[in-house]
Amino acid sequence: IHLRQATIGNTFSLEGTKVSGPTKSPRGWLVECANLRVGRDIHFRRGFQAFGGIRLYGARVAGRFDCSGGRFDANSDSPYAMDLRLVKIEGSLYMRRQFVAQGGVLAKGIYVGRDFDCTESRFLAGAREDSLALGASGAVVGGTLRIENTELCGSVDLGQASVGWLADDRKSWEKIPPGKLNLIGFSYKSFGPQVPDDVQYRIGWVLRHQVGFHPDPFEQLASVYRQLRQSDEAHAVKYAKCRIRTRRGSLSSLNKMWQRFLELTVGYG
């Protein structure tokens, strides 16, 4: 299916459709819809299956993009199942309710006007455990990013992404290899209802996925606690940031000794 630069005035629906082709596609993508314009919604849901990868690079969708219950497999020439880079969706993006991507999902620079919902979905990277499962660096989500009961097997890049609210659970992050979740520049206003906002868990969430030291994820987390008027939690994050900087950062030996002295005497208040 090749619809590059096409315009569809109403809804584009392949609901329940099975699309397959050669194991090795000469064009690289089984469904090629780069720069597609859709006047309402896209439905790749409820039994939709694509064995060979889909590409909607730069597409514009006036409504929502619903992939709930769909299956998207990369072809043997590519580690990626979906290319949604620079897609603009005015409504919500649904990858939920048994959505499966067997291969990475590229969503760098995507814009979603409302929610990006990955509830009860599976993002399965390639053969290497550190291959990309979800790449959403620079994404903008106007509503809530939902990572609940989600299987993320591989690396996840949220660097420089911006979302309204983060609704997640502890289990969803557990299969990401240590050091393979990029949170540098990731901003969120608050946590969704009924999510783990325990400060020690959240500090561990940041630490588990850091290689070396970067202050930004700590500062973002502290900012959220301050907005929630939870000053003790904000202070705990600030303290943890300084402690980890001393242990992992690039401070000189003398500065590390000084920081350690402050930690043991006056703390970081």
Side-chain angles (χ1 to χ4, degrees), residues 27-86:
R27 295 174 182 259
W29 301 94
L30 181 64
V31 179
E32 168 63 88
C33 299
N35 297 307
L36 178 69
R37 300 293 186 268
V38 179
R40 292 189 64 184
D41 304 334
I42 294 181
H43 295 164
F44 291 174
R45 63 184 185 182
R46 297 178 183 172
F48 172 81
Q49 299 177 65
F51 299 98
I54 72 167
R55 183 173 187 255
L56 286 97
Y57 177 95
R60 298 291 183 267
V61 183
R64 65 184 181 180
F65 188 176
D66 193 349
C67 302
S68 302
R71 181 181 178 97
F72 303 80
D73 285 27
N75 66 49
S76 61
D77 288 336
S78 171
Y80 305 117
M82 303 179 75
D83 182 358
L84 305 179
R85 290 174 297 166
L86 301 179

Side-chain angles (χ1 to χ4, degrees), residues 72-190:
F72 303 80
D73 285 27
N75 66 49
S76 61
D77 288 336
S78 171
Y80 305 117
M82 303 179 75
D83 182 358
L84 305 179
R85 290 174 297 166
L86 301 179
V87 170
K88 185 175 182 180
I89 303 166
E90 298 296 340
S92 293
L93 173 57
Y94 296 129
M95 295 181 173
R96 60 184 182 179
R97 297 175 183 170
Q98 285 72 59
F99 164 91
V100 178
Q102 184 68 58
V105 174
L106 295 172
K108 181 178 180 179
I110 194 171
Y111 171 86
V112 181
R114 300 186 69 180
D115 296 338
F116 184 176
D117 191 343
C118 302
T119 305
E120 298 178 357
S121 59
R122 303 177 73 199
F123 293 80
L124 310 175
R128 292 174 50 187
E129 69 170 8
D130 62 348
S131 297
L132 183 71
L134 175 61
S137 61
V140 176
V141 178
T144 300
L145 173 61
R146 297 190 179 279
I147 306 288
E148 297 172 308
N149 198 21
T150 304
E151 188 175 353
L152 296 165
C153 294
S155 64
V156 174
D157 187 357
L158 296 175
Q160 306 303 321
S162 173
V163 306
W165 294 266
L166 174 62
D168 65 343
D169 56 27
R170 302 185 185 207
K171 180 180 177 182
S172 295
W173 306 104
E174 291 177 352
K175 292 187 177 181
I176 301 174
K180 295 301 179 179
L181 172 60
N182 180 15
L183 297 174
I184 298 172
F186 175 50
S187 64
Y188 46 96
K189 296 177 183 176
S190 187

